[in-house]
């Protein structure tokens, strides 16, 4: 009896082991995988290209949608949906639309779709910082494959801006038919088409067989939302996902030992900062902002929270962006001087402030460090954590005192970084979330935007950065580097400084 | 014990009897000692903690346990032992005050309900049923999310979720006490309802309340930790065991000590409270004694 039981036991265990090892064997000998699974930290806010500029959405939308022009790996502007273009004069651009481009619903791309898309952009509050001085009313389709874009004023970086996902081209028929469900049924021209979106879980895309360009090499593309950084890392280690985005710096040393995993450390277009709501007391006090800036040790933040990955901020925009000012005085951490500035600002006995953040772990860690550092100069900082959506709403409404955020200059051009973030006309939704206003800065930023001569443009940005750096609308603390962990079997992995990837080029 | 003992020991009352019975229960006494130690730690945390709970030492990040830092240091170089010591304040404070709040509110509701009976009873108990239909933790989470995070709101969130339990316990005891002769006697000599409830009824249902409270406190501390873990409780830099766990969990595979010690602190406290609660129940219920 007990013999029999023992034998059964052994058999049972063996059966489980065999069953458990089955998929591994299949994966090793079978056909190559037909799905790339990507773990991202946040759900997209919307898949309507004009509905948001947030980066999780941009990453997915850039697989589905395309723009008139795009940047190649070296950062040059190259044709995409526009086969070629002419600059007739500084305010007139003529785009020749590529023929035979199919949308995911089978419709052919025409200049009318481009016109329709431009009208949608003009109505979107998210696009205004990107579209600059495009004169939407006078831009028009000349014939089936020609689109003329007018500018109200010359705009130096416009082609860079037209690479941004918020200027994506949609299908007029598809977009109109989707109606209010437009963010759930995106129809574009990209290498992947939309299949499904399970909120807070995953977005599934599949290869678009009629794609005009080089077709995707792997059939399916799944973006899973895994908010917990540690879980993303575990998933990529166990093979649950092929790519883990936003890997925490603390995991790098262990992942480096795993030979099945590769790590990509990529410069980004982003700068992280603690912003002040500058148009409201007490943050309208420049001395107070300077005191806080001086009381924060940004080198320690880079070392402790980011484990030495990334660069302690040296300017309002990072070195990966053209025209960053490398000659600014280094950020000075000096608690004694900060205390003095604080009493000059009118707070000899310190004060109580709030710092608000979303649930991003690194930002919370930064907040906790800043809280401890500011306590030493007599500032009692309360850290408030809000859910991301509510947080952004409060930021845009100007309800906060200090908040932790970052800005990704998706276009790689200083105009998008500085004009959107610091020009008076861009308050709130436009991108100037610190509600900072300085006529001199406005003038310089307008100059940089209107002029077409690169050298004078960059000089204007140099000077604007000098003023912004000195007046501290934000404590700039880091030019981060993005850490990505991906399976060593995934070939041609790529990620660009704006956070997007060309997944259609990757294969197993 | 027999009836004989009661005669020879006439002077000893119910409470000293219970204490005697409790003292014979080694596990419960050990738990009591642990809890007393914890209370002392919480009260004198400032004096006995080796470091400040908030000072960050950027040169000593993630130190494993050592002589200088018995429980190691965290991601900001703060001493984990000191943080656990200070964290005990929050845990005990939240546990104790939410239970006291719940007892006061639940007790009054239960007493009124049991004493007056009929329609009053029906109204109050149905309201309690509604509250009980929502799982306690879920109720606490929604309340904590609705109110702003912070100590007082944390207490309120946990207390409200606990109220129905106490009102039930008290109501049940009141129903049995109500029929006793001494209550009738009090009513006969014209005592007011308030006096009867507060002077005669409630003191006589203390025993089940105390048991429920000890066990409930374990639950309350756990809820507080859970809520802080979710970011709905105590805000940084104030150390709280649950939030310490929450911020340490991203390092769990590299630096085990960051999660292990706050976790142990929670486990030991909850365990001690539960054992003591069991012991008290045995000690306070004369019918159970062997």
């Amino acid at each position: 009896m007990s013999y029999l039981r023992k034998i059964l036991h052994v058999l049972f265990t063996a059966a489980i082991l065999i069953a458990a090892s089955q998929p591994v064997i299949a994966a090793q000998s079978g056909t190559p995988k037909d799905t790339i699974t990507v773990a991202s930290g946040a759900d997209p806010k919307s898949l309507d290209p004009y509905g948001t500029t947030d980066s999780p959405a941009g990453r997915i939308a850039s697989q589905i949608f395309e723009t008139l022009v795009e940047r190649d790996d070296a950062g040059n502007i190259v044709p995409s949906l526009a086969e070629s273009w002419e600059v007739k004069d500084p305010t007139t651009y003529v785009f020749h639309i590529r023929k035979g481009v199919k949308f995911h619903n089978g419709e052919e791309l025409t200049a009318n779709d481009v016109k329709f898309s431009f009208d949608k952009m003009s109505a979107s509050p998210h696009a205004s910082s990107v579209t600059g001085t495009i004169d939407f009313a006078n831009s028009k389709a000349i014939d089936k494959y020609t689109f003329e874009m007018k500018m109200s004023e010359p705009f130096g970086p416009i082609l860079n801006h037209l690479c941004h996902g918020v200027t994506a081209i949609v299908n007029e028929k598809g977009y109109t038919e989707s109606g209010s469900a437009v963010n759930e049924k995106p129809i574009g021209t990209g290498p992947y088409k939309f299949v499904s979106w399970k909120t807070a879980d995953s977005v599934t895309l599949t290869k678009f067989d009629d794609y005009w360009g080089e077709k995707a090499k792997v059939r399916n593309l799944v973006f899973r939302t895994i908010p917990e950084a540690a879980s993303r890392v575990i998933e990529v280690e166990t093979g649950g996902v092929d790519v883990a985005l936003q890997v925490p710096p603390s995991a790098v040393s262990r992942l480096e030992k795993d030979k099945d995993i590769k790590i990509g450390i990529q410069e980004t277009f982003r700068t992280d900062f603690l912003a002040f709501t500058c148009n409201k007391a007490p943050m309208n006090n420049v001395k107070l902002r300077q005191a806080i800036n001086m009381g924060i040790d940004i080198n320690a933040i880079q070392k402790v929270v980011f484990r030495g990955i990334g660069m302690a901020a040296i300017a309002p925009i990072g070195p990966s962006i053209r025209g960053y000012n490398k000659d600014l005085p280094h950020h000075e951490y000096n608690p004694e001087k900060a205390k003095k500035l604080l009493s000059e600002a009118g707070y000899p006995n310190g004060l109580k402030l709030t710092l608000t953040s979303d649930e991003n772990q690194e930002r919370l860690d930064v907040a906790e460090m800043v809280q401890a550092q500011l306590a030493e100069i007599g500032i009692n900082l309360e850290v408030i954590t809000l859910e991301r959506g509510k947080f952004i709403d409060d930021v845009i409404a100007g309800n906060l005192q200090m908040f932790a955020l970052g800005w990704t200059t998706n276009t790689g051009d200083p105009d998008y970084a500085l004009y959107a973030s610091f020009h008076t006309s861009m308050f709130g939704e436009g991108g100037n979330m610190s509600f900072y206003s300085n006529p001199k800065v406005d003038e310089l930023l307008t100059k940089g935007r209107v002029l077409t001569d690169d050298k004078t443009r960059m000089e204007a940005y140099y000077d604007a950065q000098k003023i912004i750096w000195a007046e501290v609308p934000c404590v700039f603390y880091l030019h981060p580097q993005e850490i990505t962990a991906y399976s060593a079997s995934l070939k041609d992995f790529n990620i660009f400084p704006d956070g997007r990837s060309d997944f259609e080029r990757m294969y197993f | 014990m027999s009836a004989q003992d009661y005669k020879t020991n006439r002077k000893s009352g119910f409470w000293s009897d219970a204490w005697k019975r409790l003292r014979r229960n080694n596990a419960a006494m050990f738990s009591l000692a642990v809890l007393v130690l914890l209370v002392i730690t919480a009260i004198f945390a400032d004096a006995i903690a080796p470091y400040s709970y908030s000072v960050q030492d950027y040169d000593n990040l993630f130190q494993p346990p050592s002589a200088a830092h018995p429980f190691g240091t965290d991601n900001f170089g703060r001493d984990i032992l000191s943080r656990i010591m200070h964290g005990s304040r929050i845990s005990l404070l939240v546990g104790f005050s939410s239970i006291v709040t719940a007892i006061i509110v639940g007790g009054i509701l239960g007493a009124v309900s049991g004493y007056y009976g009929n329609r009053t009873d029906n109204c109050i108990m149905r309201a309690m049923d509604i509250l009980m239909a929502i799982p306690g933790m879920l109720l606490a989470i929604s309340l904590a999310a609705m109110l702003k995070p912070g100590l007082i709101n944390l207490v309120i969130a946990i207390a409200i979720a606990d109220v129905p339990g106490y009102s039930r316990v008290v109501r049940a005891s009141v129903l049995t006490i109500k029929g006793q002769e001494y209550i009738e006697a009090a009513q006969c000599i014209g005592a007011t309802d308030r006096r009867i409830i507060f002077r005669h009824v409630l003191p006589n249902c203390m025993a089940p309340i105390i048991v429920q409270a000890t066990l409930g406190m374990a639950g309350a501390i756990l809820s507080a930790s859970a809520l802080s873990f979710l970011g709905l409780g105590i805000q940084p830099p104030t150390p709280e065991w649950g939030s310490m766990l929450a911020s340490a969990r991203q390092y769990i595979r590299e630096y085990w000590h960051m999660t292990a010690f706050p976790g142990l602190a929670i486990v030991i406290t909850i365990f001690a409270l539960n054992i003591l609660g069991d012991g008290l129940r045995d000690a306070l219920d004369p019918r159970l004694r062997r």
Side-chain angles (χ1 to χ4, degrees):
Chain A
M1 183 62 204
S2 81
Y3 243 132
L4 192 66
R5 193 177 286 171
K6 251 183 202 163
I7 290 168
L8 275 175
H9 230 108
V10 170
L11 282 179
F12 187 63
T13 318
I16 289 176
L17 281 177
I18 290 166
S21 59
Q22 207 66 17
V24 178
I25 294 166
Q28 278 163 355
S29 59
T31 49
K33 283 175 64 172
D34 65 352
T35 304
I36 302 178
T37 311
V38 183
S40 148
D43 226 24
K45 251 190 131 178
S46 162
L47 288 179
D48 173 8
Y50 318 120
T52 179
T53 49
D54 93 326
S55 45
R59 189 178 302 116
I60 300 173
S62 67
Q63 312 307 315
I64 304 172
F65 295 101
E66 288 174 303
T67 44
L68 288 176
V69 292
E70 64 180 0
R71 254 193 313 272
D72 66 8
D73 293 3
N76 303 312
I77 305 294
V78 294
S80 179
L81 292 180
E83 214 166 27
S84 63
W85 60 90
E86 300 149 32
V87 186
K88 279 194 166 166
D89 59 66
T91 58
T92 314
Y93 290 70
V94 174
F95 292 97
H96 299 286
I97 309 299
R98 194 180 292 276
K99 287 172 189 148
V101 173
K102 284 266 165 50
F103 279 104
H104 299 156
N105 60 353
E107 296 277 310
E108 200 202 338
L109 168 72
T110 65
N112 279 331
D113 294 310
V114 179
K115 169 67 180 156
F116 176 80
S117 304
F118 270 64
D119 288 345
K120 288 287 154 199
M121 272 170 234
S122 75
S124 160
H126 302 281
S128 64
S129 56
V130 180
T131 53
T133 58
I134 296 177
D135 179 2
F136 289 102
N138 292 316
S139 301
K140 57 183 182 293
I142 292 178
D143 60 41
K144 200 177 173 194
Y145 298 109
T146 316
F147 178 74
E148 186 182 74
M149 180 178 77
K150 296 290 282 182
M151 313 292 294
S152 56
E153 275 173 74
F155 185 55
I158 186 63
L159 288 177
N160 264 305
H161 281 223
L162 289 180
C163 302
H164 191 291
V166 82
T167 68
I169 304 302
V170 298
N171 177 237
E172 177 168 9
K173 186 162 165 260
Y175 197 90
T176 323
E177 276 172 1
S178 304
S180 59
V182 72
N183 60 341
E184 296 151 19
K185 288 180 194 162
I187 294 167
T189 56
Y192 281 99
K193 60 182 181 188
F194 178 79
V195 177
S196 65
W197 178 3
K198 289 185 212 139
T199 309
D201 179 72
S202 65
V203 175
T204 304
L205 310 180
T206 192
K207 179 180 171 182
F208 178 45
D209 290 318
D210 291 332
Y211 183 56
W212 60 271
E214 189 144 332
K215 295 184 179 59
K217 292 182 171 148
V218 178
R219 179 147 287 278
N220 301 306
L221 180 58
V222 178
F223 292 90
R224 280 177 58 191
T225 302
I226 304 178
E228 195 79 39
S231 311
R232 285 199 296 278
V233 173
I234 291 171
E235 285 282 354
V236 76
E237 280 180 289
T238 55
V241 302
D242 304 303
V243 180
L245 300 167
Q246 294 139 353
V247 169
S250 57
V252 170
S253 58
R254 203 195 45 244
L255 286 171
E256 276 172 343
K257 291 180 202 127
D258 191 332
K259 62 179 185 338
D260 294 329
I261 289 178
K262 286 191 182 171
I263 293 183
I265 293 182
Q266 167 66 43
E267 297 258 301
T268 64
F269 283 154
R270 202 168 92 224
T271 295
D272 285 333
F273 49 77
L274 305 170
F276 303 105
T277 305
C278 299
N279 64 343
K280 274 190 195 151
M283 288 308 169
N284 52 4
N285 185 335
V286 180
K287 284 235 163 91
L288 173 59
R289 303 202 299 260
Q290 287 167 333
I292 293 173
N293 193 29
M294 206 166 268
I296 295 175
D297 185 353
I298 64 169
N299 288 308
I301 290 176
Q302 187 256 7
K303 183 187 138 201
V304 172
V305 178
F306 300 91
R307 316 298 288 279
I309 294 173
M311 182 184 196
I314 53 165
I317 51 179
S320 57
I321 294 164
R322 277 167 6 103
Y324 88 98
N325 190 336
K326 56 182 183 305
D327 303 321
L328 295 173
H330 280 286
H331 174 275
E332 186 187 358
Y333 169 60
N334 188 336
E336 284 313 308
K337 241 165 123 180
K339 259 188 231 169
K340 220 174 278 164
L341 267 172
L342 199 61
S343 52
E344 280 173 38
Y347 301 97
N349 305 317
L351 74 163
K352 197 173 173 304
L353 293 172
T354 60
L355 169 61
T356 312
S357 166
D358 63 2
E359 289 148 319
N360 175 303
Q361 188 60 48
E362 270 97 41
R363 285 200 193 117
L364 290 177
D365 286 350
V366 169
E368 209 164 336
M369 277 184 80
V370 167
Q371 186 178 47
Q373 290 169 358
L374 290 186
E376 301 200 354
I377 65 166
I379 293 176
N380 178 357
L381 193 69
E382 188 193 351
V383 176
I384 297 171
T385 318
L386 291 178
E387 180 271 321
R388 172 103 184 162
K390 166 95 173 91
F391 173 64
I392 297 290
D393 289 347
D394 275 356
V395 166
I396 288 173
N399 291 339
L400 308 171
Q401 282 188 328
M402 270 177 93
F403 53 92
L405 209 59
W407 181 265
T408 304
T409 308
N410 300 55
T411 60
D413 186 277
D415 174 75
Y416 186 61
L418 299 172
Y419 194 90
S421 302
F422 302 111
H423 195 279
T424 310
S425 65
M426 288 290 162
F427 271 11
E429 231 164 354
N432 186 348
M433 295 169 290
S434 50
F435 294 83
Y436 170 77
S437 175
N438 179 327
K440 181 77 189 140
V441 172
D442 285 355
E443 189 194 315
L444 287 166
L445 293 179
T446 310
K447 216 165 134 192
R449 146 171 290 216
V450 177
L451 297 177
T452 37
D453 172 46
D454 211 52
K455 194 162 164 283
T456 28
R457 277 193 70 209
M458 294 306 146
E459 271 164 15
Y461 290 126
Y462 265 50
D463 294 343
Q465 286 174 66
K466 211 181 277 172
I467 301 172
I468 293 166
W469 190 248
E471 294 199 334
V472 204
C474 313
V475 177
F476 303 97
Y477 63 82
L478 191 80
H479 306 307
Q481 286 175 321
E482 175 83 28
I483 312 167
T484 313
Y486 58 98
S487 157
S489 62
L490 185 67
K491 306 292 180 325
D492 269 7
F493 176 80
N494 58 73
I495 184 164
F496 300 113
D498 61 2
R500 298 194 288 178
S501 297
D502 280 345
F503 289 102
E504 75 271 16
R505 281 169 22 196
M506 303 178 199
Y507 63 95
F508 289 101
Chain B
M1 253 186 224
S2 62
Q4 200 68 41
D5 292 335
Y6 276 113
K7 273 184 194 145
T8 52
N9 262 340
R10 271 215 90 83
K11 272 173 214 148
S12 69
F14 172 76
W15 294 107
S16 59
D17 265 359
W19 172 238
K20 255 186 215 156
R21 283 193 291 271
L22 186 68
R23 265 183 22 201
R24 281 190 223 126
N25 184 340
N26 287 334
M29 286 313 284
F30 181 73
S31 301
L32 187 65
V34 168
L35 291 171
V36 168
L37 202 67
L38 198 68
V39 171
I40 292 173
T41 311
I43 294 173
F44 299 106
D46 287 325
I48 55 177
Y51 300 87
S52 152
Y53 67 83
S54 63
V55 167
Q56 309 182 341
D57 177 358
Y58 306 142
D59 296 322
N60 283 304
L61 310 175
F62 302 111
Q63 293 293 308
S66 65
H69 299 282
F71 289 179
T73 62
D74 68 5
N75 53 326
F76 297 117
R78 297 176 298 201
D79 183 58
I80 292 178
L81 175 63
S82 308
R83 286 180 66 74
I84 288 180
M85 285 177 162
H86 280 274
S88 65
R89 279 187 177 175
I90 301 295
S91 291
L92 292 181
L93 189 67
V94 171
F96 189 75
S97 39
S98 56
I99 288 306
V100 168
T101 317
I103 287 178
I104 292 175
V105 179
I108 291 176
L109 285 175
V112 168
S113 180
Y115 185 76
Y116 290 108
N118 294 334
R119 197 166 290 167
T120 323
D121 183 29
N122 224 332
C123 285
I124 296 180
M125 279 305 121
R126 291 306 77 77
M128 292 299 119
D129 284 348
I130 292 173
L131 271 184
M132 275 188 127
I134 310 167
M137 195 61 210
L138 207 62
L139 187 64
I141 289 178
S142 4
L143 282 169
M146 230 164 60
L147 309 163
K148 273 170 101 187
L151 184 69
I152 292 177
N153 290 338
L154 187 63
V155 169
I156 294 174
I158 296 171
I160 291 183
D162 277 351
V163 163
Y166 293 100
S167 67
R168 285 264 177 114
V169 169
V170 172
R171 176 178 170 271
S173 335
V174 169
L175 284 180
T176 49
I177 293 164
K178 201 168 70 169
Q180 306 278 335
E181 286 85 352
Y182 61 89
I183 301 291
E184 276 175 36
Q187 280 166 338
C188 286
I189 58 169
T192 59
D193 284 352
R194 213 170 81 189
R195 188 181 164 84
I196 294 174
I197 290 176
F198 285 102
R199 293 298 296 273
H200 301 291
V201 177
L202 280 181
N204 281 301
C205 45
M206 278 320 272
I209 292 182
I210 287 175
V211 173
Q212 173 89 0
T214 321
L215 295 171
M217 189 157 157
I221 291 179
L222 211 54
S223 306
S225 295
L227 290 173
S228 299
F229 183 89
L230 296 173
L232 297 167
I234 304 301
Q235 298 299 299
T238 315
E240 201 282 338
W241 297 342
S243 58
M244 284 175 77
L245 265 186
S247 54
R249 75 190 190 277
Q250 55 170 324
Y251 307 107
I252 190 165
R253 295 196 302 161
E254 287 93 0
Y255 308 103
W256 59 272
H257 65 272
M258 280 180 66
T259 32
F261 292 112
L264 265 176
I266 297 176
V267 169
I268 290 173
T269 310
I270 304 301
F271 202 58
L273 279 167
N274 273 315
I275 302 265
L276 181 65
D278 280 348
L280 279 175
R281 189 178 52 212
D282 294 346
L284 288 174
D285 189 345
R287 276 163 303 208
L288 272 181
R289 72 176 197 274
R290 278 156 236 150

